[in-house]
Amino acid sequence: MTSTAIRIYTAIMALACGGAIVFALQQQHQADTWQSDSRAWQDLVAKSTAQDQLNARRLKLVIHRYNLLVRNTTRSQRKLLAALQQRSSASTSAAGYTATRTVTYSTGGGSSSPAPAPVATSSAPPPTTKTS
Amino acid sequence: MSALEAPTTAVVWEWRATGTTWRIYHSGGVDSRIARLVAAQIERDEARWSRFRPLSDVSRINAGAGRWVPVGSDTMALLADCCRWTAETLGVFQPLVGAVLEAWGYRVGLQERPPGTTTSPIRNAAVGGELLIDKAARATMIPPGMRLDLGGIAKSWIATRAAAVLREATDDESLLIDGGGDLVAVRGSHLVAVEDPGIPGGPAHTHVLIRDGQGVATSGFGRRQWLNADHVEAHHLIDPATGRPGPRCHATVVADDPVTADVVATVLAVRPELIARRDEACLVTRGDQVWRTPAWGEVVRS
C-alpha cells in the first residue's frame, strides 16, 4: 500500500468515526428527550389519579348530603301535610258548614295581589249567558 | 212575565276577574263590603286555579308533570270532580288538553299571544293519560308531557263558591252572579238572555228562566278562535279524541248545579251528538242546525 492510499484510508475512517460519533450523540439527545417526556407523563398520571380520588371523595360527600336533604324534605312534607289536615278538620268543625269554607292553605298559589274592587253600575246589560 | 221572573236589579256590582267581567245582580241587599268579600273569594280561587298565574296550583302541577305535587283540599276536591266528569263523559271532558291547546296556538292568552303565529299540528293526537289524585296524601300527578287546563270547569266552581259566600252574607231575595256568561241563581228566579252565537253582543236569541241554585252556561268557539300562520282556523275547545279543535258549535245548558251546566255545555260544544244522552235543558247550534232537549222547552221564556 502506498502512502497515498494510506492517507485516503485514514481520511475515510476518520469521516466514518466522526459520523458514528455524531449519530450516537443525536440518539443520546433523543433518548434524553423521551425520558423527559416519559417522566412528565408519569407525573401527569400520578396527579390525575390523585385528583380522581379527591373527586370520588367529594362526590361521596355530595351524595351523602343529597340523601340527607331528601330525607329531611320528606320528613318536613309529612309534618306539613299532617298539620294541614289537622288545621283543615279543625276549621271545618269550627265553622259548622263546609259550603263556604275559606281557603285553608295554598302551596304557593296564594293571591299576591288584592282583589279588584267591584264598582256599582246602573248601566249593566241584562243578565246574559254567552261564551267568554 | 210574572213579578218573580222579572229582573229586579237596579244597581249591579261589576269587576274584572278570571279574564272576564263578573257581575252581582241584586235588589239592594248587597253593599260594597259584601261585593268586595265575593271579589276577594274569586281572586283567591283564581290565584290557585288559573293556568295563567305562575304560582297557581295548576302551574305547579304542570311544572311537576310526572311527579306527585301536594295541593290544598279545595284543589283536591276540584280535581276529584274533574276525574268524575271525565269518567261520566267517557273522556270527552278532558282537563289534560293543556299541552294540545298550546300546540294549537292558545299558549298564554289571546291578549298576550296574538293569534296566527303558530303552525297547526299536522297529525291527530288523541289526548289520553290520566289525572291521578291521592286523597290521603293530598297530592296529584299528571303524566309527563301533559298540561292541566281547568278552563272547562274552574269558572263554574269559582262561581258556585262565590255564590255560597254571597248567600251567607246577605238575605237579599234576588241574587244572581254572572261570571262572564256563566250565571248562578244564588237566590230567587231570574230571566237570563241567551246571546245569539252568530251576533256576539247583539240582541238575545231567546231567554231562559233559572231558579234558586241553578246555573246556566254557554260554551262555544265564538269568542276564542284564531287563524294560525298556516291559515288553519283554530279555537279553544279541543276534542280529546282527535287532539284538534272540535266542530264550530255553541251549547247552552241550564242545570240544577252550575258546574254541571258548565261541563255539559263544554262537552256538547265538542260533541253535539251527545245531546241525546242528556236530561238537562240543553240547546246546541251548529250553523243553521239546532238541537234541543225536551227540558229546554221548560226553561225557555221567549
Side-chain angles (χ1 to χ4, degrees), chain B residues 11-296:
Chain B
V11 176
V12 175
W13 292 104
E14 185 178 282
W15 73 101
R16 294 284 298 176
T18 66
T20 190
T21 302
W22 286 74
R23 295 188 180 95
I24 299 173
Y25 294 85
H26 61 105
S27 56
V30 179
D31 58 19
S32 63
R33 184 192 64 82
I34 296 173
R36 282 201 305 273
L37 199 66
V38 173
Q41 169 73 30
I42 290 170
E43 165 61 24
R44 279 196 296 272
D45 285 346
E46 184 185 3
R48 289 182 296 176
W49 297 332
S50 169
R51 73 184 178 99
F52 302 136
R53 303 272 185 108
L55 295 178
S56 70
D57 283 357
V58 171
S59 294
R60 288 190 310 105
I61 293 166
N62 286 335
R67 299 193 305 270
W68 287 100
V69 176
V71 294
S73 56
D74 294 325
T75 301
M76 185 59 69
L78 171 55
L79 296 178
D81 209 22
C82 286
C83 293
R84 185 178 68 80
W85 277 109
T86 302
E88 184 175 326
T89 61
L90 301 177
V92 180
F93 174 79
Q94 175 54 272
L96 296 178
V97 295
V100 176
L101 203 52
E102 291 177 8
W104 275 93
Y106 189 44
R107 189 150 297 177
V108 178
L110 291 184
Q111 290 78 20
E112 292 83 355
R113 181 181 172 84
T117 58
T118 303
T119 303
S120 308
I122 298 171
R123 287 180 296 184
N124 287 5
V127 181
E130 194 180 356
L131 171 65
L132 299 175
I133 53 174
D134 183 342
K135 288 182 180 174
R138 283 191 182 169
T140 185
M141 180 167 68
I142 61 172
M146 294 280 183
R147 290 181 72 79
L148 185 65
D149 178 35
L150 300 176
I153 193 171
K155 200 164 66 173
S156 53
W157 251 73
I158 293 172
T160 304
R161 288 162 56 83
V165 170
L166 190 58
R167 195 178 295 116
E168 286 291 321
T170 176
D171 294 330
D172 195 315
E173 290 301 317
S174 178
L175 292 171
L176 178 73
I177 288 183
D178 176 4
D182 293 355
L183 297 100
V184 181
V186 182
R187 198 174 286 137
S189 297
H190 302 268
L191 201 60
V192 175
V194 179
E195 186 183 77
D196 187 339
I199 317 167
H205 176 59
T206 185
H207 290 79
V208 292
L209 184 72
I210 58 172
R211 302 177 189 279
D212 259 358
Q214 286 190 320
V216 57
T218 296
S219 186
F221 68 94
R223 280 189 168 80
R224 293 180 195 264
Q225 56 176 324
W226 59 91
L227 188 67
N228 282 338
D230 50 4
H231 304 292
V232 174
E233 288 182 336
H235 60 82
H236 73 299
L237 294 171
I238 297 292
D239 183 349
T242 62
R244 305 178 72 85
R248 296 170 70 79
C249 291
H250 284 91
T252 298
V253 176
V254 176
D256 290 342
D257 165 29
V259 176
T260 300
D262 190 14
V263 172
V264 173
T266 303
V267 166
L268 293 181
V270 172
R271 296 278 185 81
E273 68 274 15
L274 295 179
I275 192 171
R277 299 182 189 176
R278 303 307 313 184
D279 296 329
E280 297 87 5
C282 307
L283 170 74
V284 179
T285 59
R286 181 180 185 179
D288 293 335
Q289 294 177 293
V290 180
W291 296 273
R292 301 178 187 86
T293 56
W296 181 257

Side-chain angles (χ1 to χ4, degrees), chain A residues 32-97:
Chain A
D32 289 344
T33 307
W34 285 353
Q35 190 177 28
S36 171
D37 285 350
S38 172
R39 280 178 186 152
W41 279 111
Q42 282 175 344
D43 287 347
L44 187 63
V45 167
K47 283 178 184 171
S48 297
T49 305
Q51 188 64 44
D52 187 48
Q53 288 171 345
L54 185 65
N55 287 344
R57 282 198 295 275
R58 284 177 177 169
L59 186 62
K60 279 183 184 173
L61 192 64
V62 169
I63 289 169
H64 174 72
R65 284 178 177 168
Y66 179 76
N67 288 340
L68 201 63
L69 180 68
V70 170
R71 278 197 294 275
N72 288 341
T73 306
T74 307
R75 202 174 298 130
S76 300
Q77 278 181 336
R78 280 189 194 136
K79 281 182 185 173
L80 177 66
L81 288 171
L84 289 170
Q85 273 181 331
Q86 195 177 6
R87 184 177 166 189
S88 176
S89 57
S91 65
T92 304
S93 59
Y97 59 87

Side-chain angles (χ1 to χ4, degrees), chain A residues 93-105:
Chain A
S93 59
Y97 59 87
T98 56
T100 60
R101 66 182 184 271
T102 53
V103 181
T104 52
Y105 95 110

